[in-house]
Amino acid sequence: MKPTYYCLAFSVISGLSASLYGWQFWSITFLVVASLPHLKYLNYLRAWGSLFLYVMLMGICYIYGHYIMESNISYLNGEETNFSARPLTEPRKTSSGQSLSFQAKLKHGEKIHVFLPYEEKTLKPALNDECKFKGKLSPPKTARNPYSFNYSSFLREQNIYWTVTINPNTLVCKEGNNNWLHTLKKWRSHAVYQLTYEKDEEASALIAALVFGDRSLFSEQRLNQFRQLGIIHLLAVSGLHIGLVTAVLYYLLYRIGMTREKAAYSVLAILPVYALIAGGAPSVVRASLTCMFVILSVQFKWRFSLLDILSIVCITLLIINPFYLYHLGFQLSFLTSFSLLLSKRIFLNSSPFFSLLKVTGVAQLISLPLMLYHFYEISLLSLLINMLFIPFVSLWVLPISFITMFLQLLSPPAASFTYTLLSQSLKPVYMLVDIIAKWTWPQIVTGQPSEALLLAMIVSIILCLVLWEVQKKKWLAVVGCCSLLLVTLPIILPYFNGKTTVTILDVGQGDAIVIELPYRNGVYLIDTGGVIRWEDDVNEDKEKAIAGGPGKNVIEPFLKAKGISHIDRLILTHGHLDHLGETCYLTEVLTIDAAFYPIAESVPQEAKNQLMCLHEKNIPIIQVEKGVSWNVGDDSFFVMHPHGDEIDENDRSIVLFANLSGISFLFTGDLEEGGEKRLLTEYPALKVDILKVGHHGSGTSTREELLEQLKPKIGVISVGGNNTFGHPHPDVLTRLENHQVTVFRTDIHGAITIEFEDNSSFTIDHYLK
């Protein structure tokens, strides 16, 4: 059997994966997949030749990947403060709105990511301006918690090793020399910017996304709704969009008098330009290159199938940028295209409606494993919603968006008319989106499947498509049930896990601790972390709260990746924002049975705002005091503090004693010296194995007397790196060392996970190695 292009693509993926991320599951899997079609032809010499070619290609790509890794280095040492650079991307506001963010290229060619503190009077650099400024270099932040976004890896895959925070008073820019590429980018940026002046933000955002591949005009809330409903892909410039643009361009050029040959070559010249206008994302480049290869194949009568062309495009893109390999858009684009081409017989002899239904169904099925791996949840209404939205977007929104932008160049009044048409048509659609997005029952949190399970899902779904194509209905039913079982397996497996797990998440200067009881008999969250605000903004509306806090960036992805969408008990130790500041956000994305709050004569205003969110969601707020206890299987919990007469907010902290599989654990909140003395007086025989060190290691907590009586083996400190409070205090660390307490700190170790075995033993792991 002679070599096939898709097997060559798998070999390239195998070699690059091994060089970039080491020999691991996927690098070996893709080499095996490349070899599989040839195994039954091993009695032919040509099959052995093909296998040898795949191994050789994998080896060449392995060496090439190493070369890329070694050549992608930084020439900065971190001490530089003066910079001359040209902006490569349009400056955009960050989620907090407090700074602008953009990429820039230094004179020696290295790229950096720039943050510019923003005010209305702040100078905003334009693309390709020649800028000089002073600033401080910092390495990009790496992920400190499981399943959190790794900003460092994200930038490194773009060959960026440093971020720079500019001193805005030092920024000076002048217009640079522009070539046609810079002019095109500036025009694109200006066109998107002009859309912000239109009266309908939703219509402008949709036009910017579909025509220019720019989602920055969408609110975070709207993007989350699209993601939740499984239609976020409609906001990308996809293969369907490029195909429609190609077909319309060819038809128009042909109708105005061009020959078929000239029309084809004209489209061939226009497609790369449009790929740049549309943002140059992997899905856009893939679709544009595929259309160009198809046109060339037709013109020169090359004997390539669409599957061959797709494989050639895949190899080409990976050679240009091997880091595309771990880009979700690249993965989804090629996986869905590959599957649709392999399943093309399924769509034959079907009406347009059923063809659309089948195409949508196949695309949804094959992308499901990747979506679960990256987003941990699925909407049961996803297929139905896609059936409604794909025709609406493809046949109405996309054409009228292009027409509007085209008319904007020729006749602004006519463009205003089409813009209004689009705006009015979107209003009932967005009303429907708002209604459906509020439904919680269709949203199923599955958790993240393992890599082996992910592969099994993909293989089983491809097998389903093959059986569907050959009309093996009985086997299709059997394999379909197996696929369904594999998809639900991440939901089921925790109910067979007999271990208790405590995870102290790194939420900066705050606390957030997740307790998972055996067999999923209960999930508790002790505190939520929060962003400390120094100004008097406690009455700020919850929807205007600072974006991107630990609730969204740390707690939600961690819980959902574990398959957790339901919290049995939210234990808020006391009323400071670094312990309950994310309560409002978490009530929107999780189901909470009950919240514990310490009994007290008064509640801080900042806490009242958060507790009001619980009240609005009809979540019971239970004021707890000393003596409250409960048992779950072999695990027991006892509230040792407060009494209700404490004056200091920290000393009102709920102190929870837990016996987990025979190991004692004391959670102390922000308890300080006065509370510690009272605790020791009331419980003179108290001993613990693991101590959550109070108040982030403050010098006013964890006194000598406490350690002398408790005699903990392990001390865990939840604390923010380089915090302004000086936590943990050197005296506390000295006392812990003197008492031979092994200390784990979130500022050093990241998230800390403790697993309790049935035999009264435990293991500790931490995320940062």
Side-chain angles (χ1 to χ4, degrees):
M1 183 180 178
K2 65 179 182 180
T4 56
Y5 285 98
Y6 67 87
C7 289
L8 292 173
F10 290 151
S11 300
V12 170
I13 292 172
S14 175
L16 291 177
S17 174
S19 62
L20 298 180
Y21 296 95
W23 284 104
Q24 32 81 20
F25 181 82
W26 290 107
S27 52
I28 297 172
T29 297
F30 275 104
L31 183 60
V32 171
V33 171
S35 306
L36 282 177
H38 301 267
L39 294 183
K40 66 178 181 179
Y41 301 102
L42 290 181
N43 54 330
Y44 295 99
L45 184 62
R46 182 175 289 183
W48 284 99
S50 297
L51 292 175
F52 178 75
L53 177 62
Y54 298 152
V55 173
M56 285 293 296
L57 184 59
M58 182 212 65
I60 293 170
C61 289
Y62 179 80
I63 295 171
Y64 175 68
H66 269 294
Y67 166 76
I68 293 294
M69 292 291 287
E70 291 176 2
S71 61
N72 286 353
I73 59 174
S74 174
Y75 294 95
L76 301 173
N77 59 28
E79 301 297 325
E80 295 85 354
T81 56
N82 295 300
F83 303 94
S84 297
R86 293 173 179 260
L88 296 175
T89 60
E90 181 69 20
R92 302 288 188 192
K93 284 186 180 181
T94 58
S95 58
S96 67
Q98 297 175 351
S99 61
L100 297 174
S101 168
F102 59 94
Q103 292 181 11
K105 180 180 282 189
L106 300 172
K107 274 192 172 181
H108 67 268
E110 182 170 346
K111 292 193 294 182
I112 56 176
H113 199 95
V114 179
F115 293 97
L116 173 63
Y118 179 75
E119 297 177 0
E120 290 299 327
K121 61 181 180 180
T122 301
L123 171 67
K124 185 178 179 181
L127 288 174
N128 202 44
D129 279 359
E130 294 179 359
C131 297
K132 294 184 177 181
F133 51 85
K134 291 184 178 181
K136 181 181 179 181
L137 282 172
S138 302
K141 293 182 179 179
T142 188
R144 304 181 61 84
N145 295 276
Y147 315 110
S148 292
F149 175 67
N150 195 325
Y151 186 56
S152 177
S153 295
F154 172 74
L155 289 184
R156 183 156 296 186
E157 290 169 4
Q158 302 173 65
N159 199 21
I160 298 176
Y161 295 86
W162 298 96
T163 64
V164 178
T165 302
I166 292 180
N167 179 346
N169 297 324
T170 65
L171 178 64
V172 178
C173 295
K174 66 178 183 178
E175 187 174 353
N177 297 322
N178 294 320
N179 56 29
W180 71 269
L181 183 59
H182 294 132
T183 302
L184 183 66
K185 288 183 176 181
K186 282 191 172 183
W187 175 84
R188 174 183 181 269
S189 176
H190 177 73
V192 173
Y193 180 70
Q194 286 297 113
L195 286 170
T196 61
Y197 287 101
E198 298 292 345
K199 56 186 177 181
D200 189 336
E201 294 179 1
E202 300 278 21
S204 296
L206 203 53
I207 293 174
L210 295 178
V211 178
F212 300 105
D214 189 322
R215 298 183 189 176
S216 64
L217 302 189
F218 276 104
S219 66
E220 190 65 27
Q221 180 185 7
R222 185 64 76 192
L223 288 176
N224 286 335
Q225 286 180 339
F226 285 144
R227 193 173 292 113
Q228 174 186 335
L229 299 178
I231 54 175
I232 189 72
H233 62 92
L234 295 178
L235 302 182
V237 181
S238 65
L240 176 61
H241 295 175
I242 296 294
L244 289 172
V245 169
T246 302
V248 170
L249 271 176
Y250 179 83
Y251 177 77
L252 289 176
L253 293 173
Y254 178 70
R255 296 302 297 175
I256 63 175
M258 282 190 178
T259 63
R260 294 181 185 274
E261 187 178 46
K262 287 184 177 179
Y265 286 129
S266 298
V267 171
L268 200 62
I270 293 171
L271 278 175
V273 177
Y274 178 65
L276 292 172
I277 292 174
S283 59
V284 178
V285 178
R286 189 270 306 166
S288 301
L289 283 177
T290 300
C291 288
M292 292 169 68
F293 267 108
V294 169
I295 293 171
L296 289 171
S297 295
V298 172
Q299 294 302 312
F300 292 100
K301 296 182 173 57
W302 293 339
R303 299 180 64 181
F304 290 122
S305 67
L306 281 175
L307 188 58
D308 292 338
I309 291 173
L310 185 70
S311 302
I312 293 170
V313 170
C314 177
I315 294 171
T316 303
L317 288 178
L318 288 176
I319 296 300
I320 294 172
N321 184 0
F323 289 109
Y324 276 153
L325 191 60
Y326 285 85
H327 193 292
L328 178 59
F330 180 91
Q331 296 171 3
L332 286 173
S333 179
F334 278 97
L335 182 62
T336 53
S337 300
F338 181 76
S339 301
L340 288 170
L341 288 175
L342 287 181
S343 310
K344 59 186 178 181
R345 292 183 186 176
I346 295 174
F347 315 127
L348 298 177
N349 303 319
S350 297
S351 66
F353 173 79
F354 281 105
S355 291
L356 175 63
L357 179 63
K358 290 177 180 179
V359 168
T360 304
V362 170
Q364 290 284 297
L365 280 174
I366 200 62
S367 62
L368 177 61
L370 280 178
M371 298 303 287
L372 293 182
Y373 188 80
H374 288 281
F375 301 113
Y376 328 127
E377 57 186 337
I378 183 176
S379 173
L380 296 178
L381 298 178
S382 180
L383 180 59
L384 176 60
I385 293 171
N386 273 275
M387 284 297 299
L388 293 174
F389 278 83
I390 287 177
F392 175 72
V393 172
S394 301
L395 303 179
W396 168 249
V397 177
L398 183 64
I400 201 169
S401 296
F402 274 99
I403 291 170
T404 299
M405 294 309 301
F406 182 72
L407 289 176
Q408 188 66 43
L409 301 174
L410 302 178
S411 174
S416 179
F417 174 74
T418 56
Y419 182 91
T420 302
L421 279 179
L422 177 62
S423 174
Q424 294 300 315
S425 67
L426 288 176
K427 288 180 179 179
V429 174
Y430 278 126
M431 286 179 59
L432 179 63
V433 169
D434 288 334
I435 292 171
I436 298 176
K438 291 179 181 178
W439 299 346
T440 56
W441 63 266
Q443 208 67 21
I444 306 297
V445 174
T446 62
Q448 186 184 66
S450 64
E451 292 185 335
L453 186 55
L454 176 65
L455 177 63
M457 288 182 190
I458 294 173
V459 170
S460 67
I461 291 173
I462 291 176
L463 187 55
C464 282
L465 296 178
V466 172
L467 294 171
W468 184 7
E469 184 177 348
V470 298
Q471 294 293 302
K472 298 288 186 179
K473 295 182 178 179
K474 291 183 179 179
W475 281 105
L476 176 59
V478 173
V479 178
C481 289
C482 291
S483 298
L484 182 61
L485 176 62
L486 290 172
V487 169
T488 57
L489 207 54
I491 305 174
I492 299 171
L493 287 178
Y495 292 91
F496 293 89
N497 184 358
K499 295 181 180 179
T500 300
T501 304
V502 175
T503 304
I504 298 89
L505 295 171
D506 181 1
V507 292
Q509 189 65 15
D511 278 11
I513 303 170
V514 179
I515 302 176
E516 301 171 69
L517 298 181
Y519 309 110
R520 201 44 66 84
N521 284 328
V523 177
Y524 305 154
L525 176 61
I526 302 178
D527 290 329
T528 69
V531 180
I532 301 175
R533 305 174 211 166
W534 301 106
E535 65 273 15
D536 183 20
D537 60 356
V538 292
N539 292 316
E540 185 180 36
D541 186 86
K542 67 181 180 182
E543 292 183 356
K544 296 181 181 178
I546 295 175
K552 176 183 177 182
N553 294 332
V554 178
I555 300 174
E556 182 187 6
F558 175 82
L559 292 176
K560 288 188 174 180
K562 290 267 194 168
I564 298 169
S565 60
H566 173 264
I567 298 294
D568 294 275
R569 298 186 181 187
L570 172 62
I571 302 171
L572 304 174
T573 58
H574 62 291
H576 286 158
L577 278 179
D578 59 331
H579 288 257
L580 52 57
E582 297 296 293
T583 301
C584 286
Y585 180 81
L586 294 178
T587 59
E588 297 293 332
V589 296
L590 300 171
T591 302
I592 301 173
D593 280 354
F596 284 11
Y597 189 80
I599 188 169
E601 295 179 359
S602 62
V603 177
Q605 183 61 48
E606 58 194 23
K608 287 181 180 178
N609 295 335
Q610 302 296 324
L611 296 177
M612 182 58 68
C613 294
L614 295 168
H615 177 72
E616 290 173 359
K617 291 289 184 178
N618 296 317
I619 299 171
I621 302 173
I622 303 171
Q623 289 192 301
V624 298
E625 58 184 322
K626 172 192 171 183
V628 175
S629 64
W630 69 94
N631 296 319
V632 182
D634 295 330
D635 297 328
S636 61
F637 301 86
F638 180 76
V639 176
M640 294 184 159
H641 191 81
H643 298 72
D645 57 358
E646 292 81 7
I647 298 175
D648 181 73
E649 187 62 33
N650 285 334
D651 271 339
R652 291 175 183 167
S653 294
I654 294 176
V655 176
L656 182 66
F657 177 86
N659 190 302
L660 307 174
S661 300
I663 303 296
S664 55
F665 203 136
L666 190 66
F667 302 92
T668 58
D670 274 359
L671 195 69
E672 296 194 315
E673 184 176 1
E676 290 180 358
K677 288 180 178 179
R678 194 170 187 177
L679 189 71
L680 297 178
T681 300
E682 294 176 351
Y683 303 98
L686 179 63
K687 307 288 182 185
V688 298
D689 296 304
I690 305 174
L691 172 67
K692 203 291 290 185
V693 176
H695 200 189
H696 321 292
S698 165
T700 57
S701 301
T702 321
R703 309 303 295 172
E704 183 74 26
E705 297 82 2
L706 183 79
L707 295 175
E708 183 65 36
Q709 180 172 315
L710 297 185
K711 299 190 182 304
K713 301 181 182 69
I714 303 293
V716 178
I717 306 177
S718 182
V719 61
N722 300 317
N723 63 86
T724 58
F725 305 99
H727 296 161
H729 196 281
D731 290 347
V732 172
L733 295 177
T734 300
R735 287 197 289 269
L736 290 166
E737 182 181 359
N738 291 339
H739 283 270
Q740 298 182 337
V741 179
T742 303
V743 174
F744 293 89
R745 298 165 45 174
T746 57
D747 62 331
I748 295 176
H749 301 106
I752 301 159
T753 301
I754 307 173
E755 280 194 349
F756 298 87
E757 308 288 346
D758 291 335
N759 56 357
S760 296
S761 64
F762 60 90
T763 58
I764 298 182
D765 194 15
H766 45 86
Y767 191 70
L768 299 180
K769 305 300 183 182

